[in-house]
Amino acid sequence: EAAVTQSPRNKVTVTGGNVTLSCRQTNSHNYMYWYRQDTGHGLRLIHYSYGAGNLQIGDVPDGYKATRTTQEDFFLLLELASPSQTSLYFCASSHRQTSQNTLYFGAGTRLSVL
Amino acid sequence: AQSVTQPDARVTVSEGASLQLRCKYSYSGTPYLFWYVQYPRQGLQLLLKYYSGDPVVQGVNGFEAEFIKSNSSFHLRKASVHWSDSAVYFCAVTPSNYNVLYFGSGTKLTVEP
């Protein structure tokens, strides 16, 4: 069973704060993704990566940085958090060949920016 | 650009009734199509997927979906719902040569006893 672990599960910060969301996958997948989920919008892609050191821009990248340090680890960085970034964040992984575009999701991180 | 429309934000059905959740996509080619389910306080899980071949695909827990290319639709169906099917259902699409999924806004299903 594919495994994607996100931490923390919940995070509260203040406007202007610095936040790092972590994601680790033990699936040997090459692709990793960060999505945000908001009511009425579904899931929207922030950033993704197809390998260590690689970063691709998604559909809603403004205000977010990301870094893929290893094949297993993908981080999402909010350096100056704003209330508009209050959301539920999901990390996912996939393998182009072995999972045929099927994404495996973590349990999510709920972020509140006050 | 790809897009996915789920026109029904909320659907309520009685236990034992049949179900159809609607999904329409916008893409000029033949995409890969997915349905995911999200149970409360959990991540998304794959229900079923379509790549090619038989346009009716079977998924877990009795769910199925039919790809109708002429209508750009991929509706999800179940013959008889159970209270445990209450969840949020997402339709998603990706071009066949691409590895990013685009999701619809989701449909929250409530199954009443």
Side-chain angles (χ1 to χ4, degrees), chain A residues 11-17 81-86 111-114:
Chain A
K11 176 72 176 178
V12 179
T13 190
V14 296
T15 299
S82 72
S84 65
Q85 294 176 307
T86 293
L111 174 66
S112 297
V113 183
L114 305 178

Side-chain angles (χ1 to χ4, degrees), chain A residues 6 33-46 59-60 87-92 103-106 108, chain B residues 2 4 6 36-38 42-45 88-93 100-107:
Chain A
Q6 294 183 235
Y33 311 81
W34 279 106
Y35 285 89
R36 61 176 289 174
Q37 183 182 16
D38 304 288
T39 303
H41 291 281
L43 277 75
R44 292 180 290 175
L45 182 65
I46 303 171
D59 298 322
V60 289
S87 188
L88 181 58
Y89 291 86
F90 285 104
C91 176
L103 268 61
Y104 295 87
F105 284 85
Chain B
Q2 297 73 231
V4 180
Q6 294 180 249
Y36 279 82
V37 60
Q38 183 181 30
Q42 295 186 28
L44 279 71
Q45 304 170 34
V88 181
Y89 292 79
F90 291 94
C91 183
V93 63
V100 172
L101 263 61
Y102 296 92
F103 288 84
S105 54
T107 298

Side-chain angles (χ1 to χ4, degrees), chain B residues 37-54:
Chain B
V37 60
Q38 183 181 30
Y39 297 105
R41 294 173 298 282
Q42 295 186 28
L44 279 71
Q45 304 170 34
L46 181 69
L47 265 182
L48 49 81
K49 58 189 177 185
Y50 171 81
Y51 292 149
S52 63
D54 189 339

Side-chain angles (χ1 to χ4, degrees), chain A residues 4 6 19-23 30-37 43-51 53-69 73-79 85 88-94 103-105, chain B residues 98-103:
Chain A
V4 180
Q6 294 183 235
V19 177
T20 298
L21 306 184
S22 302
C23 177
N30 47 1
Y31 280 79
M32 294 185 74
Y33 311 81
W34 279 106
Y35 285 89
R36 61 176 289 174
Q37 183 182 16
L43 277 75
R44 292 180 290 175
L45 182 65
I46 303 171
H47 291 297
Y48 68 103
S49 165
Y50 55 73
N54 174 263
L55 180 66
Q56 302 294 315
I57 294 172
D59 298 322
V60 289
D62 292 346
Y64 301 96
K65 293 183 179 180
T67 181
R68 181 89 176 268
T69 55
D73 297 302
F74 195 30
F75 300 93
L76 186 68
L77 296 80
L78 292 73
E79 295 183 333
Q85 294 176 307
L88 181 58
Y89 291 86
F90 285 104
C91 176
S93 73
S94 73
L103 268 61
Y104 295 87
F105 284 85
Chain B
Y98 202 45
N99 221 63
V100 172
L101 263 61
Y102 296 92
F103 288 84

Side-chain angles (χ1 to χ4, degrees), chain B residues 12-55:
Chain B
T12 300
V13 298
S14 298
E15 193 166 24
S18 63
L19 170 72
Q20 176 172 280
L21 301 182
R22 296 183 291 167
C23 172
K24 296 201 73 172
Y25 66 90
S26 173
Y27 177 63
S28 58
T30 299
Y32 292 175
L33 296 160
F34 303 79
W35 276 98
Y36 279 82
V37 60
Q38 183 181 30
Y39 297 105
R41 294 173 298 282
Q42 295 186 28
L44 279 71
Q45 304 170 34
L46 181 69
L47 265 182
L48 49 81
K49 58 189 177 185
Y50 171 81
Y51 292 149
S52 63
D54 189 339

